[in-house]
Amino acid sequence: MSKTTESSDNLPHPPPLTPEQRKLITATVPILAEHGIAITTLFYEQLLEANPELRNVFSHSNKERGLQAEALARAVYAYAANIEDLTPILPVVERIAHKHASIHVAPSHYAVVGKHLLDAITQVVGADIFKGDLYEAWGAAYWNLAHVFINREHELYEAAQWVGWREFVVARKVRETEEVTSFYLKPKDGKSLAPYRPGQYISVQKFVPELGLRQCRQYSLSNAPNTESFRITVKREPGVRAGALSGALDTAQVAHPGWMSNLLHATLAEGDPIEVVFPFGEFFLDDSSAPVVLLSAGVGLTPLLAMLNTLVKADLKREISWVQAVRSGRVHAFREHVRKVRETHPDRVQTHVVYSDPSASDVEGRDFDVRGRLDLEKVPRDVLCLDERDAQYYVCGPVTFMADMVGGLKSRGVDSIRIHAEVFGSGATP
């Protein structure tokens, strides 16, 4: 555990792009649209083959499903398409910088990534095309963007209580539902924890024997900040369809679980050690006094639960609306907790809960408000705070859910600047 970070002094520092170089970058946008996934897939293959230690950093499941290649392809395309004015992609840059900080990306990593990315573009596009001024333009563009990330990540590291992995232990393990478990993590050294912003996440790291690799995952903190512990609330992922694992069958598509979530559920017990990174993330509760509307689906409730608990604990008098989509009471985590919060603060807290597939024991009007999918047209206007022109909206859940919520809020007159959406893993911004 250290606050020391690498210097970027020995890395290339090209001047800003010239108008001619920006034109060359813009001219490659159609190529990236057609070949972006091929480029980034080849990039990851060659990067990890040449640097096997990085397999401990990247999510094996996301790589197998092609999510990392897809996310990088989108990012490279967006950078090229907005090379004349990067303002539209700055929120994405901020999100990626926090993600990089959460896995302790160092300046030296950018040299490795730059080499393999330019090599992959050359191989896919063709060395007879990607050469000369075009190659030089992309090299300069890469390093200009790399230093934006390096500088921002340095700021994040400087503001963190520690940099890199810190040893924690599991103080409590609480089964919330049949598929969701909370883990209370305390520093092994017993020292106090600095506050984080409710909505942020931590990275945790464990060795996965089936892969022979260390794997790290980001999990939102699901409780209000305190000096003693972090709480993460993890859904056990049943499995994904992916390519055969190294050392397993050479052919056939195999189903394998979300490695880290299953490992935590099945093998991590109270008293066990786990490595943790200081909280990061650009999705967090604002500091205003405006009403807050928290919209979640499934395990997307976790960062919003941290916001709810913080608002109640601080007694800030902000109006709070809790709008939630759940399959049924059987998988409804923290149902009694939210109900108690509402009953304790009836003047400040309103709730609206939708069950898409209620069980026989679920009672409408007691356990949930509406049956079906969450439709904002059916949520009472006062619960959505639509007449409050400064209300802030926080949305978290599957990408399709967030896209529906963001679109629904905009159609009901909510300005984009007041809508905040959390993106899990390699997902796209809704």
Side-chain angles (χ1 to χ4, degrees):
M1 185 178 71
S2 170
K3 288 294 290 282
T4 303
T5 57
E6 289 182 8
S7 168
S8 63
D9 292 344
N10 61 339
L11 298 177
H13 285 74
L17 296 178
T18 66
E20 292 74 19
Q21 287 177 321
R22 291 198 296 272
K23 289 179 181 178
L24 287 171
I25 297 296
T26 301
T28 63
V29 169
I31 297 175
L32 294 175
E34 182 178 356
H35 301 292
I37 297 295
I39 291 169
T40 54
T41 299
L42 179 62
F43 158 76
Y44 277 114
E45 290 175 355
Q46 296 182 343
L47 173 72
L48 296 178
E49 182 178 355
N51 303 272
E53 71 280 1
L54 293 180
R55 296 180 187 274
N56 293 300
V57 175
F58 291 107
S59 165
H60 182 89
S61 297
N62 283 347
K63 179 181 178 297
E64 288 292 305
R65 288 182 286 171
L67 297 182
Q68 288 173 346
E70 181 183 349
L72 180 59
R74 286 197 305 266
V76 173
Y77 175 87
Y79 179 48
N82 292 278
I83 198 69
E84 294 290 350
D85 178 14
L86 297 180
T87 304
I89 70 168
L90 292 181
V92 178
V93 169
E94 180 71 1
R95 176 164 67 90
I96 294 173
H98 278 269
K99 184 61 68 70
H100 285 177
S102 77
I103 58 175
H104 196 203
V105 168
S108 59
H109 289 132
Y110 285 93
V112 177
V113 167
K115 174 189 181 304
H116 288 284
L117 181 59
L118 293 176
D119 284 352
I121 297 175
T122 302
Q123 292 173 59
V124 172
V125 175
D128 57 329
I129 297 175
F130 198 64
K131 63 179 182 178
D133 290 343
L134 179 58
Y135 186 95
E136 293 300 321
W138 263 102
Y142 172 80
W143 279 110
N144 272 278
L145 182 60
H147 284 291
V148 171
F149 280 113
I150 290 169
N151 293 338
R152 180 59 182 135
E153 287 152 22
H154 177 74
E155 293 174 347
L156 294 174
Y157 292 140
E158 286 296 303
Q161 185 180 12
W162 73 89
V163 173
W165 298 105
R166 180 177 178 181
E167 289 190 352
F168 277 61
V169 295
V170 180
R172 291 176 61 205
K173 180 178 180 179
V174 179
R175 187 173 186 265
E176 308 291 356
T177 71
E178 63 186 37
E179 61 184 18
V180 173
T181 296
S182 290
F183 299 85
Y184 293 76
L185 312 177
K186 288 189 174 183
K188 187 176 180 179
D189 59 18
K191 295 181 179 178
S192 295
L193 295 170
Y196 54 86
R197 304 295 295 270
Q200 292 187 309
Y201 54 80
I202 58 172
S203 287
V204 300
Q205 179 174 254
K206 292 290 288 184
F207 181 75
V208 180
E210 293 87 347
L211 299 177
L213 298 170
R214 286 190 169 282
Q215 290 282 275
C216 65
R217 294 290 184 275
Q218 288 79 38
Y219 292 108
S220 297
L221 291 155
S222 62
N223 206 358
N226 65 85
T227 61
E228 295 184 356
S229 68
F230 292 147
R231 184 179 74 183
I232 57 174
T233 300
V234 181
K235 179 185 177 184
R236 184 178 63 248
E237 300 294 343
V240 296
R241 298 294 298 177
L245 302 182
S246 175
L249 299 176
D250 293 331
T251 59
Q253 295 291 301
V254 297
H256 66 82
W259 293 111
M260 183 63 81
S261 69
N262 279 268
L263 183 147
L264 296 181
H265 275 256
T267 70
L268 192 66
E270 293 181 356
D272 284 352
I274 189 167
E275 294 178 295
V276 176
V277 166
F278 188 76
F280 291 102
E282 87 295 355
F283 177 79
F284 50 75
L285 184 66
D286 68 286
D287 294 326
S288 74
S289 59
V292 179
V293 181
L294 308 173
L295 302 105
S296 69
V299 79
L301 90 163
T302 54
L304 307 190
L305 193 62
M307 296 182 188
L308 174 68
N309 290 351
T310 298
L311 289 166
V312 172
K313 179 180 178 181
D315 195 25
L316 298 175
K317 306 302 182 185
R318 295 179 71 172
E319 296 178 27
I320 308 164
S321 290
W322 178 268
V323 181
Q324 185 178 12
V326 192
R327 291 204 311 276
S328 69
R330 191 166 47 84
V331 292
H332 190 171
F334 297 99
R335 178 172 63 184
E336 294 307 315
H337 172 77
V338 173
R339 178 181 293 168
K340 183 177 179 180
V341 167
R342 183 195 64 202
E343 292 174 349
T344 305
H345 304 276
D347 57 329
R348 296 178 53 205
V349 180
Q350 299 186 82
T351 63
H352 182 87
V353 178
V354 174
Y355 279 7
S356 61
D357 186 23
S359 62
S361 61
D362 294 328
V363 177
E364 188 169 351
R366 183 195 69 185
D367 301 309
F368 65 100
D369 298 292
V370 176
R371 179 193 299 259
R373 298 179 69 242
L374 178 55
D375 181 354
L376 294 184
E377 293 292 335
K378 297 180 180 179
V379 180
R381 187 176 182 86
D382 63 320
V383 174
L384 282 181
C385 300
L386 293 176
D387 295 322
E388 304 286 347
R389 305 311 300 173
D390 59 346
Q392 300 295 313
Y393 298 81
Y394 295 88
V395 186
C396 191
V399 171
T400 53
F401 167 82
M402 291 193 292
D404 287 346
M405 294 301 102
V406 172
L409 289 169
K410 289 180 179 178
S411 70
R412 303 198 70 180
V414 179
D415 298 331
S416 297
I417 196 171
R418 295 191 285 127
I419 305 173
H420 318 276
E422 170 68 308
V423 180
F424 286 142
S426 302
T429 301

